[in-house]
Amino acid sequence: MYNSRNNKEIDYINLSNNVEIDLDGVNTLPKSNVNSINNHTTINSSFTPSTNITLNNLSTTTTATTSITSTTATKPIVNHLKPPKRTINNNKNDCFLSKKNKKSAIDLFDDVIPFEDAIELLKSNFELKYGIPPNNNNNNNNNNNNNNNNNNNNNNNNNNINSKQQLFETVEYKRESLNKEQLDILDNVLNGNNIFFTGPGGTGKSYLLHVMIKELSKKGIRSFMTATTGIAALNIGGTTIHSFAGIRTGNQPFKPLLEAAYSKKNNWKSCEVLIIDEVSMLDGELFDNLERIARLIRLKANVKHGYKKKADYPDPSKLPWGGIQIVLSGDFYQLPPVPSPIPDARDDFSLVKKRTHCFDAESWDSSIDIIVPLTQIFRQKDQYFSEMLSRIRVGNIDDKILNELRKCDKPLVNENGIQPTILYTTNNKVEEMNQKYLEDIKREQFEFIALDRNANQENIQDQKKINHLQSIFENSRKSCLATSRFNLKSGAQVMLVRNISSTLVNGSRGVVIGFINQSPEEQTKLIQFIQDQTIIEARQREKMIEQFRLSALYIRGQRHRYLPIVKFMNNEIEVIKPENYSVFYDNNERIYRVQIPLKLAWAVTFHKIQGVTLDCAQISLNKVFEHGQSYVALSRIKSLEGLQIIGDFSYSCFKIDKKVSDFYQNLNNSSKLKSKKSLPLIEDAQVLIENLKNGNPIHSTNINNNDSNNFNEIIKDNNNIIKDNIQYNDNNKINSNNSINNNNNNNNNNNNNNNNNNNNNNNNNNKNNNNKNNNNNNNNYNNNNSSNNNTPIQLPQKQEQQLFDSTIPIYFLCPISQNIMEHPYVAPDGYTYERSSILEWFDKRGSISFITKKPFSTSAILIPNRNLKAQIQDWVNRQPPQIK
Ligand SMILES: Nc1ncnc2c1ncn2[C@@H]1O[C@H](COP(=O)(O)OP(=O)(O)OP(=O)(O)O)[C@@H](O)[C@H]1O
């Protein structure tokens, strides 16, 4: 077998007993190059640089056929058997295929990208470039949309090798290749400085981070490489800052955030250097919260590098980030933080939190020792284009630049065999283009249909109702990115739409390399097949086999009879399983969806491309809505020749944020070395203890040294509670063992501190509830005391709650305890609280409002909010059983 990419011979393919070789179509293969020794077949392919091998489907027999094909039609040398006819699946709903349509396990590599390429994908480290190679429009063997390596045609050879290189390019990150600016930054980091380095797109910020992480590890310094978005994290081979910190979406108020962060306390404690890339997308408030979390969790931190004895190490609570060295990288002229709507806030934009940049953060000045600019642009070699981009970046646009960009309206020539990446601002346009590219793959199509159910978990037959449910999901893209139905084919470029592990996150891209099905016999064959692929590293084979075994067990009895197998850019191979989603609709009802968390991804939105370098792209600047958005899209491309702009655009597409330009202006005016400002203060220990117990928000006040023991106690308590009650799995998903019913089935006493904390943990981790929003929502329900129901609310069973924890309406939660209210009462401030919680608050603080902190003008009378109570009870009763 010939590997056309690196001209290496692969000296054998193992085929099982009943496998025959079909060399139909091979023209240049000399007989001597095919040696069949018992059941072991050796193909020596030193003869040609472009032989392609595919395993074809044998669905009606258990025999697999290996065919070596070429584009030139010469008689085969060996031609034992014709491949049996493929069973074409006519059932478009083949997510629920009938048994008779079952296919061979060998299908995994049949009907997929050419076998050679699949193996290549499986064994190699590869960097899947954005964009697709040509030939998708061709039938037969040209539909190998990943590599296009089956051309013996000399004319095409260069193009194909090129395209392979583009698709599988790996960059070597070496210290020697750094320029002076980059080296300077590296030295600063190795010397222990807290640094922010910044510069236009393409100045090698991410490149430098790759080298930096290697250098730090050489010195034995424990560093964590993170980025603000999943896609940026993948770009640097790290994880998201959220995942590192254990804070899920990070939208919660400080206290729940702190509690959640304990799930990753080992990260926090052991971290010596924390690297955050694409920091322009980090919200200022979150920056402050992370800084405070670091200080609180690291009271007993490990000794920082540079200190010989632990005793010499200063008190971490007095050090920015608790003594963690901070390395920030990014360009504030690029995408700003995404406004964070409160999840499930039903599109009420008044609830969208105001965003800030992290240079606005209170702790910014004390966190950063040095700010260093990078100026040399690596990405664009063309000085003219690079200068144009520099001006676009800072909003210095004139007619000349616009005209120059308007000239980029011609279709791109596919000289290097790469189709341009298609970039649109909106998802609709992206979907339309992806559909078109999928149609171009001439392979069997698998349709994945979501299982949508209403709150009663009824299986809905009525098409009208189904359509209605689907339209609700489609309108709730924030809560559910998984579409009601979509098609996949082997070779399709896809993107995850949900975090499924710490390394496979929303935005991770990959290629579908096959489909796994239900039949145990088929699984056995598949596993055997993988075992035979000795070309794949043994450990990886074992991992794959284990995963296939588990997936086989998983899909037995499931409705999804086929699951896609995806090879991701980070080389992970994953069988993608359905995920549960739920969204609100009228009258606070919820509906539920089970669907595979994938979407097609030849075309992507601007937001999914930050940090990436592209050879060529087709960009539409239509509907640009964000500062820096156009600059991010345009600056991905290496040269003007690789740029096609479709549709019209105007000055308004190149908006910049005044606050950002002021920030850079101030930097220009001041020295690089910044004078350190004092740290923002953390809550007084005694107050913190109280707040943690009572579920109050934490505000900045001064730390009292004498209270550090108390701090430790709180932290220990919290650790235990969290350990006992909340387990994060690797996927950052929640397995909350301590569901809300712990407190509510029989226990009305929320004054118990442990319970309070437990409840907080649950709620904080399952909801991103912001007190403000609770308040807003509670307001809506005040004084509607229509029903009279004083019986305690029965909350859902433990198991059910785990599944639906994330679905609790936020206005059902008490602003103090963050727990679902059993006895909601309206206080004189107009807000609704859990009776026991507000009474406890009055006991401690007197007649002042928990929310406004203002004294009540009237006496502290509480009025039961019966309407809200009825709604909670109703919701609880309608909680569906676990989806089977
Ligand atoms: N010192 C270097 N030597 C060789 N190539 C480099 C060097 N630094 C960066 N590059 C290359 O320049 C290109 C852009 O680098 P990189 O993506 O790191 O830039 P960036 O500043 O992070 O860009 P952005 O802000 O757009 O994310 C990449 O192709 C990278 O491999």
Side-chain angles (χ1 to χ4, degrees):
M1 179 173 169
Y2 195 81
N3 176 342
S4 62
R5 186 156 72 101
N6 50 17
N7 288 3
K8 270 189 206 150
E9 279 179 23
I10 301 168
D11 65 357
Y12 60 90
I13 303 175
N14 278 336
L15 300 167
S16 55
N17 286 350
N18 47 8
V19 171
E20 306 246 359
I21 296 179
D22 179 357
L23 297 176
D24 198 3
V26 172
N27 59 341
T28 50
L29 183 62
K31 210 170 189 170
S32 60
N33 282 333
V34 178
N35 310 309
S36 210
I37 309 161
N38 298 326
N39 295 319
H40 181 87
T41 306
T42 305
I43 301 175
N44 182 336
S45 54
S46 55
F47 52 94
T48 169
S50 52
T51 305
N52 176 50
I53 301 181
T54 53
L55 274 184
N56 284 335
N57 174 38
L58 295 174
S59 57
T60 51
T61 73
T62 51
T63 310
T65 298
T66 301
S67 68
I68 303 182
T69 55
S70 81
T71 48
T72 37
T74 327
K75 265 279 163 216
I77 309 251
V78 186
N79 189 0
H80 296 298
L81 277 180
K82 290 266 179 233
K85 275 195 176 164
R86 174 188 306 288
T87 316
I88 299 295
N89 169 32
N90 294 322
N91 181 359
K92 289 299 164 207
N93 298 342
D94 50 9
C95 168
F96 310 115
L97 280 177
S98 69
K99 271 198 173 159
K100 63 181 175 192
N101 281 332
K102 259 195 319 190
K103 296 167 42 140
S104 160
I106 303 299
D107 287 351
L108 173 66
F109 293 113
D110 168 54
D111 201 26
V112 301
I113 51 178
F115 175 69
E116 182 196 46
D117 300 334
I119 293 298
E120 196 64 23
L121 280 166
L122 296 176
K123 76 183 172 71
S124 68
N125 285 340
F126 75 104
E127 183 181 337
L128 178 67
K129 286 280 190 141
Y130 291 74
I132 54 167
N135 298 339
N136 273 338
N137 297 331
N138 303 339
N139 293 333
N140 305 329
N141 296 316
N142 294 338
N143 53 5
N144 41 339
N145 54 334
N146 285 292
N147 292 312
N148 317 306
N149 50 358
N150 54 349
N151 332 304
N152 289 334
N153 181 333
N154 284 337
N155 294 338
N156 291 338
N157 248 349
N158 286 342
N159 281 350
N160 284 305
I161 286 167
N162 250 339
S163 81
K164 256 192 146 173
Q165 280 167 348
Q166 297 293 347
L167 282 163
F168 298 97
E169 181 182 88
T170 43
V171 184
E172 222 185 313
Y173 302 99
K174 288 189 267 178
R175 187 190 170 116
E176 304 80 68
S177 59
L178 299 182
N179 67 12
K180 169 94 183 50
E181 292 173 332
Q182 289 170 318
L183 274 174
D184 197 30
I185 293 167
L186 180 63
D187 287 344
N188 263 300
V189 171
L190 295 177
N191 287 335
N193 283 318
N194 286 359
I195 192 166
F196 165 52
F197 60 94
T198 181
T203 43
K205 297 184 289 296
S206 308
Y207 185 97
L208 170 59
L209 290 180
H210 281 278
V211 181
M212 193 180 286
I213 200 95
K214 274 192 194 170
E215 296 292 314
L216 285 165
S217 93
K218 269 190 216 162
K219 287 194 152 215
I221 298 169
R222 190 163 160 80
S223 44
F224 285 81
M225 180 95 120
T226 72
T228 46
T229 66
I231 204 81
L234 288 174
N235 198 34
I236 52 167
T239 59
T240 59
I241 179 71
H242 304 73
S243 168
F244 160 84
I247 54 167
R248 304 195 70 216
T249 60
N251 289 338
Q252 303 100 310
F254 180 66
K255 188 183 67 66
L257 219 52
L258 173 64
E259 286 172 349
Y262 274 102
S263 65
K264 292 287 173 78
K265 70 173 193 305
N266 290 341
N267 283 359
W268 283 108
K269 290 208 162 194
S270 65
C271 179
E272 289 178 283
V273 181
L274 176 61
I275 298 169
I276 312 178
D277 195 15
E278 302 297 354
V279 83
S280 69
M281 293 182 85
L282 182 60
D283 185 76
E285 191 182 319
L286 183 57
F287 185 89
D288 273 335
N289 283 338
L290 290 171
E291 195 279 326
R292 267 182 281 174
I293 285 170
R295 267 192 280 162
L296 287 169
I297 294 187
R298 286 172 58 85
L299 290 176
K300 287 181 181 168
N302 289 341
V303 176
K304 193 186 169 194
H305 68 94
Y307 290 92
K308 288 215 173 80
K309 281 190 277 158
K310 197 162 185 168
D312 297 339
Y313 185 47
D315 177 359
S317 67
K318 299 220 176 72
L319 296 170
W321 294 80
I324 296 176
Q325 184 188 341
I326 295 298
V327 177
L328 307 179
S329 152
D331 174 17
F332 287 115
Y333 279 113
Q334 296 187 34
L335 291 173
V338 177
S340 45
I342 304 308
D344 307 326
R346 284 165 294 163
D347 293 338
D348 180 350
F349 283 98
S350 67
L351 300 183
V352 174
K353 249 172 51 180
K354 206 169 160 255
R355 69 177 173 206
T356 52
H357 285 288
C358 62
F359 57 72
D360 292 326
E362 230 187 312
S363 57
W364 173 261
D365 282 334
S366 47
S367 298
I368 304 296
D369 299 327
I370 312 170
I371 299 180
V372 184
L374 283 171
T375 55
Q376 184 187 342
I377 293 173
F378 288 92
R379 189 175 288 138
Q380 291 87 20
K381 303 275 178 270
D382 170 1
Q383 189 69 17
Y384 183 68
F385 184 39
S386 156
E387 272 169 25
M388 230 168 97
L389 288 173
S390 300
R391 287 185 54 187
I392 291 170
R393 172 172 177 259
V394 297
N396 183 7
I397 309 270
D398 57 16
D399 284 349
K400 200 171 159 227
I401 290 183
L402 284 193
N403 290 337
E404 207 56 56
L405 290 175
R406 287 206 173 96
K407 284 186 209 158
C408 301
D409 60 345
K410 302 187 187 52
L412 296 165
V413 189
N414 258 334
E415 264 179 3
N416 62 0
I418 295 274
Q419 287 283 333
T421 300
I422 304 146
L423 297 179
Y424 286 96
T425 45
T426 60
N427 277 312
N428 284 350
K429 198 67 198 167
V430 159
E431 275 162 26
E432 189 187 307
M433 295 309 294
N434 281 327
Q435 217 41 54
K436 183 178 159 309
Y437 280 105
L438 186 72
E439 278 161 24
D440 286 346
I441 300 182
K442 305 301 176 202
R443 294 199 185 101
E444 190 171 351
Q445 180 162 293
F446 293 79
E447 186 174 31
F448 292 88
I449 303 172
L451 186 62
D452 291 342
R453 293 177 178 200
N454 63 12
N456 301 326
Q457 291 292 286
E458 287 163 350
N459 245 339
I460 301 163
Q461 307 295 335
D462 181 345
Q463 192 55 44
K464 264 194 187 163
K465 282 189 186 162
I466 292 174
N467 293 346
H468 178 59
L469 286 189
Q470 283 180 356
S471 68
I472 297 167
F473 271 109
E474 300 320 316
N475 291 331
S476 310
R477 301 307 295 262
K478 277 201 295 290
S479 312
C480 177
L481 289 168
T483 48
S484 60
R485 57 174 66 199
F486 65 92
N487 297 316
L488 290 181
K489 293 174 183 174
S490 294
Q493 286 198 23
V494 289
M495 180 187 279
L496 276 173
V497 292
R498 192 175 244 198
N499 299 352
I500 60 169
S501 73
S502 55
T503 46
L504 296 178
V505 296
N506 182 1
S508 294
R509 286 170 48 118
V511 179
V512 176
I513 58 169
F515 297 88
I516 202 162
N517 68 19
Q518 274 190 328
S519 146
E521 301 83 48
E522 300 298 304
Q523 300 307 328
T524 313
K525 278 186 244 157
L526 173 63
I527 287 165
Q528 182 60 49
F529 175 77
I530 297 294
Q531 262 158 359
D532 289 344
Q533 302 310 311
T534 48
I535 201 163
I536 305 168
E537 212 190 304
R539 253 185 58 205
Q540 198 177 3
R541 260 184 292 151
E542 271 167 35
K543 251 178 96 181
M544 285 173 74
I545 288 169
E546 184 55 20
Q547 200 195 143
F548 291 164
R549 276 210 181 97
L550 290 173
S551 303
L553 282 177
Y554 170 84
I555 55 178
R556 226 176 280 166
Q558 295 283 326
R559 296 182 64 119
H560 288 83
R561 295 194 170 187
Y562 281 80
L563 298 178
I565 305 169
V566 179
K567 167 89 179 177
F568 288 94
M569 284 167 72
N570 64 356
N571 287 315
E572 281 185 53
I573 295 163
E574 193 73 30
V575 180
I576 308 296
K577 302 188 188 72
E579 293 274 324
N580 295 322
Y581 296 87
S582 71
V583 300
F584 263 122
Y585 72 118
D586 332 325
N587 307 324
N588 309 324
E589 297 266 350
R590 275 191 175 269
I591 51 171
Y592 302 89
R593 166 167 286 182
V594 182
Q595 179 61 304
I596 303 284
L598 283 178
K599 67 185 230 179
L600 295 170
W602 282 283
V604 290
T605 58
F606 289 13
H607 271 82
K608 295 280 184 209
I609 210 80
Q610 179 145 335
V612 170
T613 300
L614 300 171
D615 293 290
C616 48
Q618 202 181 68
I619 297 178
S620 162
L621 297 176
N622 192 16
K623 299 197 178 147
V624 162
F625 57 87
E626 191 59 276
H627 296 136
Q629 215 177 9
S630 297
Y631 171 68
V632 164
L634 295 171
S635 63
R636 300 306 94 203
I637 301 133
K638 286 179 173 172
S639 67
L640 263 178
E641 292 70 52
L643 171 64
Q644 182 190 0
I645 302 184
I646 45 179
D648 201 16
F649 52 89
S650 63
Y651 279 99
S652 64
C653 299
F654 301 93
K655 286 183 281 192
I656 61 152
D657 188 340
K658 171 92 172 51
K659 272 167 78 181
V660 169
S661 58
D662 287 349
F663 169 77
Y664 279 103
Q665 195 56 46
N666 288 341
L667 280 187
N668 287 337
N669 299 338
S670 65
S671 149
K672 265 197 242 169
L673 205 63
K674 289 173 60 84
S675 63
K676 286 208 133 194
K677 292 199 183 154
S678 58
L679 272 175
L681 305 168
I682 309 188
E683 187 85 352
D684 178 287
Q686 202 49 52
V687 179
L688 179 68
I689 293 165
E690 258 183 53
N691 281 331
L692 282 170
K693 283 178 182 169
N694 296 334
N696 299 346
I698 291 169
H699 304 289
S700 294
T701 54
N702 206 357
I703 283 189
N704 181 344
N705 273 342
N706 299 334
D707 287 321
S708 61
N709 287 339
N710 289 335
F711 265 113
N712 286 338
E713 258 175 52
I714 301 164
I715 287 161
K716 220 166 104 201
D717 281 348
N718 274 319
N719 272 345
N720 291 336
I721 290 160
I722 287 161
K723 209 163 59 197
D724 289 342
N725 302 308
I726 296 179
Q727 293 165 354
Y728 277 79
N729 61 15
D730 280 349
N731 306 349
N732 273 346
K733 285 186 217 156
I734 287 140
N735 283 328
S736 173
N737 295 327
N738 177 32
S739 49
I740 290 166
N741 63 317
N742 279 1
N743 311 318
N744 293 284
N745 279 341
N746 44 26
N747 179 4
N748 296 333
N749 182 6
N750 281 342
N751 294 334
N752 176 312
N753 288 336
N754 276 342
N755 273 345
N756 262 340
N757 279 329
N758 291 346
N759 300 332
N760 290 333
N761 295 338
N762 283 321
N763 290 317
N764 298 332
N765 286 293
N766 292 315
K767 301 217 46 80
N768 302 310
N769 38 17
N770 178 322
N771 274 336
K772 271 185 205 153
N773 301 313
N774 280 330
N775 303 339
N776 287 340
N777 283 314
N778 284 330
N779 246 346
N780 299 336
Y781 290 89
N782 288 336
N783 307 321
N784 291 327
N785 310 324
S786 55
S787 83
N788 189 358
N789 182 356
N790 280 322
T791 50
I793 293 168
Q794 298 298 311
L795 290 174
Q797 291 305 302
K798 203 173 184 174
Q799 201 184 14
E800 294 161 11
Q801 193 58 54
Q802 281 181 28
L803 190 65
F804 297 109
D805 267 350
S806 60
T807 67
I808 305 163
I810 46 180
Y811 46 90
F812 288 179
L813 304 175
C814 168
I816 300 175
S817 70
Q818 301 287 305
N819 194 19
I820 288 192
M821 289 182 276
E822 291 178 72
H823 302 289
Y825 272 73
V826 183
D829 59 358
Y831 296 111
T832 302
Y833 303 88
E834 174 59 34
R835 186 182 56 195
S836 56
S837 301
I838 191 69
L839 286 176
E840 193 188 1
W841 168 262
F842 288 156
D843 274 346
K844 287 187 175 156
R845 299 294 174 97
S847 278
I848 60 167
S849 163
F850 170 79
I851 285 158
T852 63
K853 303 283 182 297
K854 288 189 183 138
F856 294 135
S857 50
T858 59
S859 58
I861 295 173
L862 297 176
I863 303 165
N865 190 338
R866 296 198 179 95
N867 186 31
L868 182 57
K869 182 171 182 171
Q871 286 192 39
I872 295 173
Q873 183 66 69
D874 184 38
W875 175 82
V876 164
N877 291 341
R878 280 183 294 102
Q879 283 302 286
Q882 187 158 12
I883 294 172
K884 297 262 174 354

